[in-house]
Coordinates of all heavy atoms in Angstrom, one line a residue:
M103 N 75.7 123.8 78.1 CA 76.1 122.3 77.7 C 74.8 121.5 77.7 O 74.2 121.4 78.8 CB 77.1 121.7 78.5 CG 77.5 120.2 78.1 SD 78.5 120.0 76.6 CE 80.2 120.6 77.3
K104 N 74.4 121.0 76.6 CA 73.2 120.3 76.5 C 73.5 118.7 76.9 O 74.6 118.3 76.5 CB 72.7 120.2 75.1 CG 71.7 121.2 74.8 CD 71.0 121.1 73.4 CE 70.0 119.8 73.5 NZ 69.5 119.6 72.2
E105 N 72.7 118.2 77.7 CA 72.8 116.8 78.2 C 71.6 116.2 78.6 O 70.7 117.1 79.0 CB 74.0 116.7 79.3 CG 73.6 117.7 80.5 CD 74.8 117.7 81.3 OE1 76.0 117.3 80.9 OE2 74.7 118.0 82.6
A106 N 71.4 115.0 78.5 CA 70.3 114.3 78.9 C 70.6 113.1 79.8 O 71.5 112.4 79.6 CB 69.5 113.8 77.7
I107 N 69.7 113.0 80.8 CA 69.9 111.8 81.8 C 69.4 110.5 81.1 O 68.3 110.6 80.4 CB 69.0 112.1 83.0 CG1 69.6 113.2 83.9 CG2 68.9 110.7 83.9 CD1 68.6 113.6 85.1
R108 N 70.1 109.6 81.1 CA 69.8 108.3 80.4 C 69.7 107.2 81.3 O 70.5 106.9 82.2 CB 71.0 107.8 79.3 CG 71.1 108.8 78.2 CD 70.4 108.5 77.1 NE 70.5 109.4 76.0 CZ 69.5 110.1 75.4 NH1 68.3 109.9 75.8 NH2 69.8 111.0 74.5
A109 N 68.6 106.4 81.1 CA 68.6 105.1 81.9 C 68.6 104.0 81.0 O 69.1 102.9 81.4 CB 67.1 105.2 82.7
R110 N 68.5 104.4 79.7 CA 68.5 103.1 78.6 C 69.4 103.7 77.5 O 69.4 104.9 77.2 CB 67.2 102.9 78.2 CG 66.4 102.1 79.2 CD 66.6 100.7 79.2 NE 66.2 100.0 80.4 CZ 66.5 98.7 80.5 NH1 67.2 98.0 79.7 NH2 66.2 98.0 81.6
C111 N 69.8 102.8 76.6 CA 70.6 103.1 75.6 C 69.5 104.0 74.6 O 68.5 103.6 74.2 CB 71.0 101.8 74.8 SG 71.7 102.2 73.0
P112 N 70.1 105.2 74.0 CA 69.3 106.0 73.2 C 69.0 105.5 71.8 O 68.1 105.8 71.1 CB 70.1 107.3 73.1 CG 71.4 107.0 73.4 CD 71.4 105.8 74.4
L113 N 69.8 104.5 71.4 CA 69.6 103.9 70.2 C 68.8 102.7 70.1 O 67.9 102.6 69.2 CB 71.0 103.5 69.5 CG 72.1 104.6 69.4 CD1 73.3 104.3 68.6 CD2 71.4 105.9 68.8
C114 N 68.9 101.9 71.0 CA 68.2 100.5 71.1 C 67.2 100.3 72.2 O 66.5 99.3 72.2 CB 69.1 99.3 70.7 SG 70.0 98.9 72.2
G115 N 67.5 101.1 73.3 CA 66.8 100.8 74.6 C 67.5 99.8 75.5 O 66.8 99.4 76.5
G116 N 68.7 99.4 75.1 CA 69.3 98.4 75.9 C 70.0 98.9 77.1 O 69.9 100.2 77.4
E117 N 70.6 98.3 78.0 CA 71.4 98.7 79.1 C 72.6 99.5 78.7 O 73.3 99.1 77.9 CB 71.6 97.5 80.0 CG 70.5 96.9 80.7 CD 70.9 95.7 81.6 OE1 71.8 95.0 81.3 OE2 70.3 95.7 82.8
I118 N 72.9 100.4 79.5 CA 74.2 101.1 79.4 C 75.2 100.6 80.4 O 74.9 100.4 81.5 CB 73.9 102.7 79.5 CG1 72.9 103.1 78.4 CG2 75.2 103.3 79.5 CD1 72.5 104.6 78.7
I119 N 76.3 100.3 79.8 CA 77.4 99.8 80.7 C 78.5 100.8 80.8 O 79.0 101.2 79.7 CB 78.0 98.5 80.2 CG1 76.9 97.4 79.7 CG2 79.1 98.0 81.2 CD1 76.2 96.9 81.1
V120 N 78.8 101.3 82.0 CA 79.9 102.1 82.2 C 81.2 101.5 82.6 O 81.1 100.7 83.5 CB 79.5 103.3 83.3 CG1 80.7 104.2 83.4 CG2 78.3 104.2 82.7
S121 N 82.3 101.7 81.9 CA 83.6 101.1 82.3 C 84.5 102.0 82.8 O 84.9 103.1 82.2 CB 84.3 100.4 81.1 OG 83.3 99.6 80.4
E122 N 84.9 101.9 84.1 CA 85.9 102.7 84.7 C 87.3 102.0 84.7 O 87.3 100.8 85.3 CB 85.6 103.0 86.1 CG 86.4 104.1 86.8 CD 85.9 104.5 88.2 OE1 85.0 103.9 88.7 OE2 86.4 105.6 88.6
Y123 N 88.3 102.5 84.2 CA 89.6 101.7 84.1 C 90.5 102.1 85.4 O 90.7 103.2 85.7 CB 90.3 102.2 82.8 CG 89.5 101.9 81.6 CD1 88.6 102.7 81.1 CD2 89.4 100.5 81.3 CE1 87.9 102.3 79.8 CE2 88.5 100.1 80.1 CZ 87.8 101.1 79.5 OH 87.0 100.7 78.4
Y124 N 91.0 101.0 85.9 CA 91.9 101.1 86.9 C 93.3 100.6 86.4 O 93.4 99.8 85.7 CB 91.4 100.3 88.2 CG 90.4 101.1 89.0 CD1 89.2 101.1 88.7 CD2 91.0 101.6 90.2 CE1 88.3 101.9 89.5 CE2 90.1 102.3 91.1 CZ 88.7 102.4 90.6 OH 87.9 103.1 91.5
Q125 N 94.3 101.2 87.1 CA 95.6 100.9 86.9 C 96.1 99.9 87.9 O 95.8 100.2 89.1 CB 96.5 102.0 86.8 CG 97.9 101.9 86.2 CD 98.4 103.2 86.0 OE1 98.3 104.1 86.7 NE2 99.1 103.3 84.8
T126 N 96.7 98.9 87.6 CA 97.2 97.9 88.6 C 98.7 97.6 88.2 O 99.0 97.7 87.1 CB 96.5 96.5 88.7 OG1 96.5 96.0 87.5 CG2 95.0 96.8 89.2
S127 N 99.5 97.3 89.2 CA 100.8 96.9 89.0 C 101.0 95.5 89.6 O 100.4 95.2 90.6 CB 101.9 97.8 89.5 OG 101.7 97.9 90.9
R128 N 102.0 94.7 88.9 CA 102.3 93.4 89.4 C 103.7 93.6 90.1 O 104.6 94.0 89.4 CB 102.5 92.3 88.3 CG 101.1 91.9 87.7 CD 101.5 90.9 86.6 NE 100.4 90.3 86.1 CZ 100.1 89.4 85.2 NH1 101.3 88.9 84.7 NH2 99.0 88.9 84.7
D129 N 103.7 93.4 91.4 CA 105.0 93.7 92.1 C 105.8 92.4 92.4 O 105.1 91.5 93.1 CB 104.7 94.4 93.3 CG 104.0 95.7 93.2 OD1 104.2 96.3 92.0 OD2 103.4 96.3 94.1
Y130 N 106.9 92.2 91.7 CA 107.8 91.1 92.0 C 108.8 91.4 93.0 O 109.4 92.4 93.0 CB 108.4 90.8 90.7 CG 107.4 90.3 89.5 CD1 106.8 91.2 88.6 CD2 107.1 89.0 89.4 CE1 106.0 90.8 87.8 CE2 106.2 88.5 88.2 CZ 105.7 89.5 87.5 OH 104.8 89.2 86.5
K131 N 109.2 90.4 93.8 CA 110.3 90.6 94.7 C 111.5 90.1 93.9 O 111.4 88.9 93.3 CB 110.0 89.6 96.0 CG 109.8 90.4 97.1 CD 109.7 89.3 98.4 CE 108.6 89.8 99.4 NZ 108.4 88.7 100.5
V132 N 112.7 90.6 94.2 CA 113.9 90.1 93.9 C 114.4 89.2 94.9 O 114.4 89.7 96.2 CB 115.0 91.2 93.6 CG1 116.3 90.6 93.2 CG2 114.5 92.1 92.4
L133 N 114.6 87.9 94.6 CA 114.9 87.0 95.7 C 116.5 87.1 96.1 O 117.2 87.8 95.5 CB 114.7 85.7 95.2 CG 113.2 85.5 94.8 CD1 113.0 84.1 94.1 CD2 112.4 85.5 95.9
M134 N 116.8 86.3 97.1 CA 118.2 86.3 97.7 C 119.3 86.0 96.6 O 120.4 86.4 96.7 CB 118.2 85.2 98.8 CG 117.4 85.7 100.1 SD 118.0 87.2 100.9 CE 119.3 86.7 101.9
N135 N 118.7 85.1 95.6 CA 119.8 84.8 94.7 C 119.8 85.8 93.5 O 120.3 85.5 92.4 CB 119.4 83.3 94.1 CG 118.0 83.3 93.5 OD1 117.4 84.3 93.4 ND2 117.5 82.1 93.1
G136 N 119.2 86.8 93.6 CA 119.2 87.9 92.5 C 118.2 87.8 91.5 O 118.1 88.6 90.5
K137 N 117.3 86.6 91.5 CA 116.3 86.5 90.6 C 115.0 87.1 90.9 O 114.7 87.0 92.2 CB 116.2 85.0 90.2 CG 117.2 84.3 89.3 CD 116.8 82.9 89.0 CE 117.6 82.3 87.9 NZ 117.2 80.9 87.8
L138 N 114.3 87.4 90.0 CA 112.8 87.7 90.3 C 112.0 86.6 90.7 O 112.1 85.6 90.1 CB 112.2 88.3 89.0 CG 112.3 89.9 88.7 CD1 111.3 90.2 87.6 CD2 112.1 90.7 89.8
S139 N 111.4 86.8 91.6 CA 110.3 85.9 92.1 C 109.3 85.6 91.0 O 108.9 86.5 90.3 CB 109.6 86.3 93.5 OG 108.6 85.6 93.7
K140 N 108.8 84.4 90.9 CA 107.8 84.1 89.9 C 106.4 84.6 90.4 O 105.5 84.8 89.7 CB 107.8 82.6 89.6 CG 109.0 82.1 88.7 CD 108.7 80.7 88.3 CE 109.7 80.4 87.2 NZ 111.2 80.4 87.8
R141 N 106.5 84.8 91.8 CA 105.2 85.1 92.4 C 105.1 86.7 92.3 O 106.1 87.3 92.5 CB 105.0 84.6 93.8 CG 105.0 83.1 93.8 CD 104.9 82.6 95.2 NE 103.7 83.0 95.8 CZ 103.3 82.7 97.1 NH1 104.2 82.1 97.9 NH2 102.2 83.2 97.7
Y142 N 103.9 87.2 92.4 CA 103.9 88.7 92.4 C 102.5 89.1 93.2 O 101.7 88.2 93.3 CB 103.8 89.3 91.0 CG 102.7 88.7 90.2 CD1 101.4 89.2 90.1 CD2 102.9 87.7 89.1 CE1 100.3 88.7 89.4 CE2 101.9 87.2 88.4 CZ 100.6 87.7 88.5 OH 99.6 87.1 87.7
I143 N 102.5 90.2 93.7 CA 101.4 90.9 94.2 C 100.8 91.9 93.4 O 101.5 92.7 92.6 CB 101.8 91.6 95.6 CG1 102.4 90.5 96.6 CG2 100.6 92.2 96.4 CD1 103.2 91.2 97.7
V144 N 99.5 91.8 93.2 CA 98.8 92.9 92.3 C 98.5 94.1 93.1 O 97.7 93.9 94.2 CB 97.6 92.3 91.7 CG1 96.8 93.4 90.8 CG2 97.9 91.1 90.7
T145 N 99.0 95.3 92.9 CA 98.8 96.3 93.5 C 97.9 97.3 92.9 O 98.0 97.5 91.6 CB 100.2 97.2 94.0 OG1 101.1 96.3 94.5 CG2 99.9 98.4 94.8
D146 N 96.8 97.8 93.5 CA 95.8 98.7 92.9 C 96.5 100.1 93.0 O 96.8 100.7 93.9 CB 94.6 98.7 93.6 CG 93.6 99.6 93.1 OD1 93.8 100.3 92.1 OD2 92.3 99.6 93.5
A147 N 96.8 100.6 91.8 CA 97.4 102.0 91.6 C 96.4 103.0 91.5 O 96.8 104.3 91.3 CB 98.5 102.0 90.5
G148 N 95.2 102.8 91.7 CA 94.2 103.8 91.4 C 93.5 104.0 90.1 O 94.0 103.4 89.2
P149 N 92.6 104.8 90.1 CA 91.8 105.1 88.7 C 92.7 105.9 87.9 O 93.5 106.6 88.3 CB 90.6 105.9 89.2 CG 91.0 106.4 90.5 CD 91.8 105.5 91.2
I150 N 92.7 105.5 86.7 CA 93.6 106.3 85.6 C 92.6 107.4 84.9 O 93.0 107.8 84.0 CB 94.2 105.4 84.7 CG1 93.3 104.5 83.9 CG2 95.3 104.6 85.3 CD1 93.9 103.6 82.7
N151 N 91.7 107.8 85.7 CA 90.8 108.9 85.2 C 90.2 108.6 83.8 O 90.3 109.6 83.0 CB 91.6 110.2 85.2 CG 90.6 111.4 85.2 OD1 89.5 111.3 85.6 ND2 91.2 112.6 84.7
S152 N 89.8 107.6 83.5 CA 89.3 107.2 82.3 C 88.1 106.4 82.3 O 88.1 105.1 83.0 CB 90.3 106.5 81.5 OG 89.8 106.1 80.2
M153 N 87.0 106.8 81.8 CA 85.7 106.1 81.8 C 85.1 106.1 80.3 O 85.3 107.0 79.7 CB 84.7 106.6 82.7 CG 85.0 106.5 84.0 SD 83.8 107.4 85.1 CE 82.7 106.1 85.5
T154 N 84.7 105.0 80.0 CA 83.9 104.9 78.7 C 82.5 104.2 79.0 O 82.4 103.6 80.1 CB 84.5 104.1 77.6 OG1 84.7 102.8 78.1 CG2 86.0 104.6 77.2
A155 N 81.5 104.3 78.2 CA 80.3 103.7 78.2 C 79.9 103.1 77.0 O 80.3 103.7 75.9 CB 79.3 104.8 78.8
S156 N 79.2 102.0 77.0 CA 78.8 101.5 75.8 C 77.4 100.8 76.0 O 77.1 100.5 77.2 CB 79.7 100.5 75.2 OG 80.0 99.4 76.1
C157 N 76.8 100.4 75.0 CA 75.5 99.6 75.1 C 75.7 98.3 75.4 O 76.6 97.6 74.7 CB 74.8 99.8 73.7 SG 73.2 98.8 73.8
G158 N 75.0 97.7 76.3 CA 75.1 96.3 76.8 C 74.7 95.4 75.7 O 74.9 94.2 75.7
S159 N 73.8 95.9 74.7 CA 73.3 94.9 73.7 C 74.2 95.1 72.3 O 73.9 94.6 71.4 CB 71.9 95.5 73.3 OG 71.0 95.4 74.5
F160 N 75.2 95.8 72.5 CA 76.2 95.8 71.4 C 75.6 96.5 70.1 O 75.9 96.0 69.0 CB 76.9 94.6 71.2 CG 77.6 94.0 72.3 CD1 77.1 92.9 73.0 CD2 78.8 94.5 72.8 CE1 77.6 92.5 74.2 CE2 79.4 94.0 73.9 CZ 78.9 92.9 74.6
C161 N 74.8 97.5 70.4 CA 74.1 98.2 69.2 C 75.2 99.1 68.4 O 74.7 99.6 67.3 CB 72.8 98.7 69.5 SG 73.0 100.4 70.3
G162 N 76.2 99.4 69.0 CA 77.1 100.3 68.5 C 77.2 101.6 69.2 O 78.0 102.5 68.9
A163 N 76.3 101.9 70.2 CA 76.3 103.1 71.1 C 77.6 103.1 71.9 O 77.8 102.1 72.5 CB 75.0 103.2 71.9
Y164 N 78.3 104.2 71.9 CA 79.6 104.2 72.6 C 79.9 105.7 73.1 O 79.7 106.5 72.2 CB 80.6 103.7 71.7 CG 82.0 103.6 72.4 CD1 82.3 102.6 73.3 CD2 82.9 104.6 72.1 CE1 83.6 102.6 73.9 CE2 84.2 104.5 72.7 CZ 84.5 103.6 73.7 OH 85.7 103.5 74.2
W165 N 80.4 105.8 74.3 CA 80.6 107.2 74.8 C 81.9 107.1 75.2 O 82.6 106.3 75.9 CB 79.8 107.5 75.9 CG 78.4 107.7 75.6 CD1 77.7 108.8 75.6 CD2 77.3 106.7 75.6 NE1 76.4 108.6 75.3 CE2 76.1 107.3 75.4 CE3 77.3 105.2 75.7 CZ2 74.8 106.6 75.3 CZ3 76.1 104.7 75.8 CH2 74.9 105.3 75.4
E166 N 82.9 108.1 74.5 CA 84.2 108.3 75.2 C 84.1 109.2 76.6 O 82.9 109.7 76.9 CB 85.0 109.2 74.1 CG 85.3 108.6 72.8 CD 86.4 107.6 73.0 OE1 87.0 107.4 74.0 OE2 86.6 106.8 72.0
H167 N 85.2 109.3 77.2 CA 85.3 110.0 78.4 C 84.6 111.3 78.6 O 83.7 111.6 79.4 CB 86.8 110.0 78.8 CG 87.0 110.7 80.2 ND1 86.5 110.2 81.3 CD2 87.5 112.0 80.4 CE1 86.9 111.1 82.4 NE2 87.5 112.0 81.8
E168 N 84.7 112.1 77.5 CA 84.2 113.4 77.5 C 82.8 113.6 76.9 O 82.2 114.7 76.9 CB 85.1 114.4 76.7 CG 85.3 114.1 75.3 CD 86.3 112.9 74.9 OE1 86.9 112.5 75.9 OE2 86.4 112.5 73.8
E169 N 82.3 112.4 76.5 CA 81.0 112.5 75.9 C 79.9 112.2 77.0 O 78.7 112.1 76.5 CB 80.9 111.5 74.7 CG 81.7 111.9 73.7 CD 81.9 110.9 72.4 OE1 81.9 109.6 72.6 OE2 82.2 111.3 71.4
F170 N 80.2 111.9 78.2 CA 79.3 111.7 79.1 C 79.7 112.1 80.5 O 80.9 112.3 80.7 CB 78.6 110.2 79.3 CG 79.7 109.2 79.8 CD1 79.7 108.9 81.0 CD2 80.7 108.7 78.9 CE1 80.6 108.0 81.5 CE2 81.6 107.9 79.4 CZ 81.6 107.4 80.7
D171 N 78.8 112.2 81.5 CA 79.2 112.7 82.9 C 78.3 111.6 83.8 O 77.2 111.3 83.5 CB 78.7 114.1 83.1 CG 79.9 115.0 82.8 OD1 81.0 114.7 83.0 OD2 79.5 116.2 82.5
I172 N 79.1 111.4 84.9 CA 78.3 110.8 85.9 C 78.3 111.8 87.2 O 79.3 112.3 87.5 CB 79.0 109.4 86.5 CG1 79.4 108.6 85.3 CG2 78.3 108.8 87.5 CD1 78.1 108.0 84.6
S173 N 77.1 112.2 87.4 CA 76.9 113.2 88.6 C 77.3 112.5 89.9 O 77.5 111.3 90.0 CB 75.4 113.6 88.5 OG 74.6 112.6 89.1
E174 N 77.3 113.5 90.8 CA 77.7 113.0 92.2 C 76.7 111.9 92.7 O 77.4 111.0 93.5 CB 77.5 114.4 93.2 CG 78.3 115.4 92.9 CD 79.7 115.3 93.7 OE1 79.6 115.1 94.9 OE2 80.8 115.4 93.1
D175 N 75.5 112.0 92.4 CA 74.7 111.1 92.9 C 74.6 109.8 92.0 O 73.7 108.9 92.0 CB 73.3 111.6 93.2 CG 72.7 112.3 92.0 OD1 73.3 112.4 91.0 OD2 71.5 112.7 92.1
G176 N 75.5 109.7 90.9 CA 75.5 108.6 90.2 C 74.5 108.5 88.7 O 74.5 107.5 88.2
M177 N 74.0 109.6 88.5 CA 73.3 109.8 87.4 C 74.1 109.8 86.1 O 75.1 110.4 86.1 CB 72.3 110.9 87.4 CG 71.4 111.0 88.5 SD 70.1 109.7 88.3 CE 68.9 110.5 87.3
F178 N 73.6 109.1 85.0 CA 74.3 109.0 83.8 C 73.7 110.2 82.9 O 72.7 110.2 82.4 CB 74.1 107.7 83.0 CG 74.8 107.5 81.7 CD1 76.2 107.0 81.9 CD2 74.2 108.1 80.5 CE1 76.8 106.9 80.6 CE2 75.0 107.7 79.3 CZ 76.3 107.2 79.4
Y179 N 74.7 111.2 82.5 CA 74.3 112.3 81.7 C 75.0 112.1 80.2 O 76.2 112.0 80.1 CB 74.8 113.7 82.2 CG 74.0 114.1 83.4 CD1 74.2 113.7 84.7 CD2 72.9 114.9 83.2 CE1 73.5 114.1 85.8 CE2 72.2 115.4 84.3 CZ 72.4 114.9 85.6 OH 71.7 115.4 86.6
D180 N 74.2 112.0 79.3 CA 74.6 111.7 78.0 C 74.9 113.1 77.2 O 73.9 113.9 77.2 CB 73.5 111.0 77.2 CG 73.7 110.9 75.7 OD1 74.9 111.1 75.2 OD2 72.9 110.2 75.2
K181 N 76.0 113.2 76.8 CA 76.3 114.4 76.0 C 76.3 114.3 74.5 O 76.7 115.3 73.8 CB 77.4 115.2 76.4 CG 77.4 115.7 78.0 CD 78.4 116.6 78.4 CE 79.6 116.0 79.0 NZ 80.6 116.7 79.5
K182 N 76.2 113.2 74.1 CA 76.5 112.8 72.7 C 75.3 112.5 71.9 O 75.1 113.0 70.7 CB 77.3 111.5 72.8 CG 77.7 111.1 71.3 CD 78.7 109.8 71.5 CE 79.1 109.4 69.9 NZ 80.0 108.1 70.1
Y183 N 74.4 111.7 72.3 CA 73.2 111.2 71.5 C 72.0 112.1 71.7 O 70.9 111.6 72.2 CB 72.9 109.7 71.9 CG 74.0 108.8 71.3 CD1 74.8 108.3 72.3 CD2 74.1 108.5 69.9 CE1 75.8 107.4 71.8 CE2 75.2 107.6 69.5 CZ 75.9 107.1 70.4 OH 76.9 106.2 70.1
L184 N 72.2 113.4 71.5 CA 71.1 114.3 71.8 C 70.2 114.5 70.6 O 69.1 114.7 70.7 CB 71.7 115.6 72.4 CG 72.4 115.4 73.6 CD1 73.1 116.8 73.9 CD2 71.6 114.9 74.6
E185 N 71.0 114.5 69.4 CA 70.0 114.7 68.2 C 69.2 113.5 68.0 O 68.1 113.6 67.3 CB 71.0 114.9 66.9 CG 71.9 116.1 67.0 CD 72.9 116.3 67.9 OE1 73.4 115.2 68.2 OE2 73.1 117.2 68.5
E186 N 69.6 112.3 68.4 CA 68.8 111.1 68.2 C 67.6 111.0 69.1 O 66.9 110.0 69.0 CB 69.7 109.8 68.3 CG 70.6 109.5 67.1 CD 71.8 110.1 67.2 OE1 72.1 111.1 67.8 OE2 72.8 109.6 66.5
E187 N 67.4 111.8 69.9 CA 66.4 112.0 70.9 C 65.0 111.6 70.2 O 64.6 112.3 69.3 CB 66.3 113.3 71.6 CG 65.3 113.3 72.7 CD 66.0 113.1 74.1 OE1 67.0 113.7 74.3 OE2 65.6 112.2 75.0
V188 N 64.4 110.7 70.7 CA 63.1 110.2 70.2 C 62.0 110.8 71.1 O 62.0 110.5 72.3 CB 62.9 108.8 69.9 CG1 61.6 108.4 69.4 CG2 64.1 108.2 69.0
S189 N 61.2 111.6 70.7 CA 60.2 112.1 71.5 C 59.1 111.1 71.8 O 58.6 110.3 71.0 CB 59.4 113.3 70.8 OG 58.9 112.9 69.5
T190 N 58.8 111.0 73.0 CA 57.9 109.7 73.6 C 56.6 110.3 74.0 O 56.6 111.5 74.6 CB 58.6 109.1 74.7 OG1 59.1 109.9 75.6 CG2 59.7 108.2 74.1
Ligands
ZN60 ZN1 72.0 100.0 72.2

């Protein structure tokens, strides 16, 4: 599998922003009178195993979950924009 470590957006050189989606629930208590409380507690239900990445400069660069990898040590591996590679 071809992939390239990215520190910058391959299209415009901007910052890459990785978004990891978490699921939360709002937990409401049913009160003594049988009504739902208006107050709720937000519970973190954990990651929903979904990450996307996009360019912080909004140039249109965008990675779906399967189009990039984050390694154990946190490196960003691009599997999408390999053809656009500009030789430096
Ligand atoms: Zn960009």
